[in-house]
Amino acid sequence: MILTNKRIVITGGTSGIGLEIVHQLAIDNKLIVVGRNTKVLQSLNVQYPMLETHCCDLSCPSDVSALVQCLLQKHRSLDVLINNAAMQYSKKMTDQDYDPAAISTEINTNLTAVCLLSHGLLPLLQRVEKAVVLNVNSGLALAPKASSAVYCATKAAINSFSQSLNHQLKDSHVAVLQAFMPVVDTPMTEGRGSNKISSHFAAQSLLTGIRESVIEHDIGKVKLLRWLLRIVPSVAKRIMVNA
Ligand SMILES: NC(=O)c1ccc[n+]([C@@H]2O[C@H](COP(=O)([O-])OP(=O)(O)OC[C@H]3O[C@@H](n4cnc5c(N)ncnc54)[C@H](OP(=O)(O)O)[C@@H]3O)[C@@H](O)[C@H]2O)c1
């Protein structure tokens, strides 16, 4: 797909990888950016007057459904949906201060919202000759770490969901792609991880995956992880425990 003059919805366009994607696509495309941070949304509106912004809490399914209705009314078609927004609650369930309320917030944001947006916006995506749903995933979908158990589970679920949806859409013009990210230097990973790739490089790689229609795009060290999982799965899984 040539990413010029395309109508693109991106969630989580106010920070990290999503914000970088916005900067890399905003000049040549019609971007519809979803986020919660109204200050950043407003400054994007000033920087890119063509850009459309929507403030939406993706952890609230009724808000996501309202967003879908609004987009269905405003737009006749869509070329790309980038499901990028996610949160990661990094506590362990064995921690004294583990907050159980985070469980549903994380599942709603990372999984339910992706399913609702994919389903709700499918009619718009089916109106163009070639459309893409890109789900931003993680190496943790392939092998979980010890902390952030719910986050890892939502990413594994996104992997399964993306494959199923791709099967459902095999006779259509809509492709479901995934980008499997290594550790990226963004607010999500502040204060942890080493050898992070930059959000600029992460966004660039992700967009290459869309341009080249890569169904499962392993970025950076995820290539090595997937190889290790095939050759020596127990070693790969052990390495990931404390990732
Ligand atoms: N960073 C990494 O190392 C890494 C590794 C693998 C995969 N990933 C994946 O890459 C994607 C982007 O992550 P990132 O590192 O760029 O994270 P980030 O900098 O923390 O940005 C997360 C984005 O998601 C949005 N978001 C979170 N909860 C939301 C909610 N309830 N409603 C609406 N928007 C919400 C945030 O919006 P507001 O700022 O407006 O709240 C923000 O724009 C995620 O899917 C993440 O799982 C990241």
Side-chain angles (χ1 to χ4, degrees), residues 19-40:
L19 183 59
E20 261 302 326
I21 293 171
V22 170
H23 289 312
Q24 293 183 25
L25 289 179
I27 304 286
D28 298 327
N29 296 278
K30 167 72 186 171
L31 278 197
I32 300 151
V33 180
V34 179
R36 271 179 314 186
N37 188 328
T38 47
K39 259 194 175 168
V40 178

Side-chain angles (χ1 to χ4, degrees), residues 55-69 116-117:
C55 188
C56 176
D57 182 354
L58 297 172
S59 71
C60 177
S62 60
D63 284 12
V64 181
S65 298
L67 170 69
V68 166
Q69 288 314 312
L116 285 172
L117 286 170

Side-chain angles (χ1 to χ4, degrees), residues 80-130:
V80 182
L81 164 63
I82 303 178
N83 286 308
N84 164 73
M87 61 163 288
Q88 182 174 172
Y89 185 63
S90 52
K91 291 253 184 286
K92 292 182 179 162
M93 288 199 164
T94 48
D95 289 341
Q96 285 299 318
D97 56 348
Y98 185 90
D99 178 7
I103 296 172
S104 58
T105 306
E106 200 164 20
I107 293 173
N108 282 343
T109 306
N110 299 4
L111 178 61
T112 311
V114 173
C115 301
L116 285 172
L117 286 170
S118 303
H119 171 260
L121 299 180
L122 211 46
L124 298 185
L125 293 159
Q126 285 172 318
R127 287 204 189 120
V128 296
E129 254 176 43
K130 190 178 164 76

Side-chain angles (χ1 to χ4, degrees), residues 9 15 29 56-57 106 122 142 149 152 158 176 197 202 225 239:
V9 171
S15 173
N29 296 278
C56 176
D57 182 354
E106 200 164 20
L122 211 46
L142 309 177
C152 296
I158 286 294
V176 184
I197 63 168
L225 171 64
I239 291 171

